Amino acid sequence: MIMKRILSILTALLFITSGTSQENDYVTLSGKILNANLDSIQLTHWSGFKKTIKVNNDGTFKDTLKVNHFNTFNLSLRRKDNQPTLYLKNGYNLNVAVTTDGYENTVSFSGKGAEANNYLTAKRLNTAAIKGNDIFEFCSRDEDDFATKVTSIKTKNLELLNKMPHLGADFKTFEIQNIKYDELLDYAFYFFLQRNKTAFSKDKNIPEYNAPEGFMPDEFFNFKFDNDLLYQNSASYWQLSFIKLNRSFNIKKVKNEVDIKYLDSVFKIIKIDALKNDMAIQFSRSLLRNKETPEAKTYYHYFINHNQIDKATKQKIKVSYEGSDTKQATLASNTIALKKGDVSPKFVNYKTPNSEAMSLEDFKGKYVYIDVWATWCGPCKKEIPSLKAIEKKYHDKNIEFVSISVDANYAFNTWKKMVKEKELTGIQLFADNAFKSEFIQDYGIRSIPRFILIDPNGNVLESSAPRPSDEKLVTLFDTLDI
């Protein structure tokens, strides 16, 4: 009898002990935001994931999240720059303290998971101290100076990583690779920005930029699309994947060398399922623009029947190609355009070059022609003279011409400088979070330039309006009561 009671007590203690030591299979994220009048914040990921978290009147917030496919997130603080990167794992109980000052954020972490996230914050500050906030200025230096700076960033971040004793082995292994791809991405930006300078120079006698022998790392040319962990969690690896594949595709397309055989060769070298689906969206968006051509139909059937593209991606391609009148289908695909008569998504407090805030509501009662562009976009810049001419032609009419830059936050000064140097007219605005801005995502914008026409009531007239260089734009304007 006594033995049975002892066994019962031991069993109960074992149950209690095992129950209390078991980690939660979700993340608890809490914190407080000071000096910011925000009613919500967002966790976002470049895959399109977005989770909105309510912020209380006193600036506190708390929510839970089950981490499945990726561990790296951006904490989006609306209308603020320097948005922190978070590393989250199931079982974390992470507290975030954010102090905002203008467009700057000071972030610190405590609780379980704090060390990895404090490391990421320190790494970002390390990088910014050497690189600055303007990638275009950073890439304007000569090759030797640039290489020295990039090596210094890598060295300091590796030293920082090794000083953090309690980081898990998995995180350290991942981060060592991530730092390497940060370096490769800097070289990629340098190479392509130098190429763009010569390609769009007014002096046509300047030869195309070619990097000196040995300047570009071999890994840039031998980049392999085979690491799912890095693709889901390293922004640098993700961007490199898109840069390499999109550039190859665009070069082939210009030369009229894109065919089924070429697409098969691309999918063959990609070992990451998510990247195959992402590139299917990218390629189909370009190849299916002229839907009525036999070539578009051939490509459409290729994507829809491809056995390595998942059902969700095929559905997005199908909705984009065939169209749909249902709201549900619109929400199911970021590629589909809003219909004429739909209430336009809003943008709020986008910055002017003088850092004043303007919103779509400020233009209520007028037609609004929106140009979505970026300083690095060659086709966008080619439209500038035509846009200026259109603005001049309709200057005294009931229409506002609004140009929205989707440059990265660190390029604000570069954008501001270009606005001044090129004497850009109309209303010049800077989106709050580049391509991840809610307004940009709601319109399904994944490539630029993109032009939008909104009526005086704030409804969509054309979600993909003609370009300024297209004679159809004047024909369209002349049908309006402006």
Side-chain angles (χ1 to χ4, degrees), residues 273-378:
D273 289 341
L275 178 55
K276 288 179 182 177
N277 292 319
D278 288 342
M279 296 321 298
I281 293 291
Q282 289 290 107
F283 295 163
S284 67
R285 194 174 289 127
S286 175
L287 296 171
L288 304 182
R289 279 180 180 161
N290 299 320
K291 299 178 183 179
E292 301 307 317
T293 64
E295 293 83 1
K297 293 177 181 178
T298 299
Y299 288 128
Y300 173 66
H301 288 294
Y302 171 81
F303 291 120
I304 290 298
N305 294 310
H306 201 292
N307 60 10
Q308 294 181 345
I309 300 173
D310 68 19
K311 289 182 179 179
T313 301
K314 290 178 180 179
Q315 179 61 22
K316 289 180 181 180
I317 294 171
K318 183 177 181 180
V319 170
S320 180
Y321 182 77
E322 298 182 356
S324 173
D325 294 328
T326 66
K327 182 68 174 178
Q328 184 177 1
T330 302
L331 294 173
S333 171
N334 284 332
T335 66
I336 192 167
L338 291 158
K339 302 187 302 299
K340 182 176 181 179
D342 284 347
V343 176
S344 174
K346 304 291 192 294
F347 60 81
V348 180
N349 289 349
Y350 279 12
K351 288 185 287 186
T352 69
N354 296 323
S355 293
E356 298 171 350
M358 298 194 75
S359 305
L360 183 60
E361 288 293 323
D362 295 331
F363 309 114
K364 203 72 178 282
K366 293 186 176 182
Y367 290 94
V368 185
Y369 182 68
I370 296 176
D371 165 23
V372 182
W373 73 295
T375 58
W376 47 262
C377 170

Side-chain angles (χ1 to χ4, degrees), residues 195-207 381:
R195 279 269 169 110
N196 280 344
K197 279 184 183 179
T198 55
F200 295 105
S201 172
K202 293 180 180 178
D203 185 354
K204 299 305 178 184
N205 294 318
I206 298 178
K381 289 185 281 191

Side-chain angles (χ1 to χ4, degrees), residues 219 321 427:
E219 287 168 303
Y321 182 77
I427 307 295

Side-chain angles (χ1 to χ4, degrees), residues 131 137-143 145-146 149 190 194:
K131 185 184 291 186
E137 184 177 332
F138 181 66
C139 292
S140 66
R141 59 193 74 234
D142 63 45
E143 286 93 351
D145 189 17
F146 174 82
K149 296 287 186 185
Y190 187 92
Q194 297 301 326

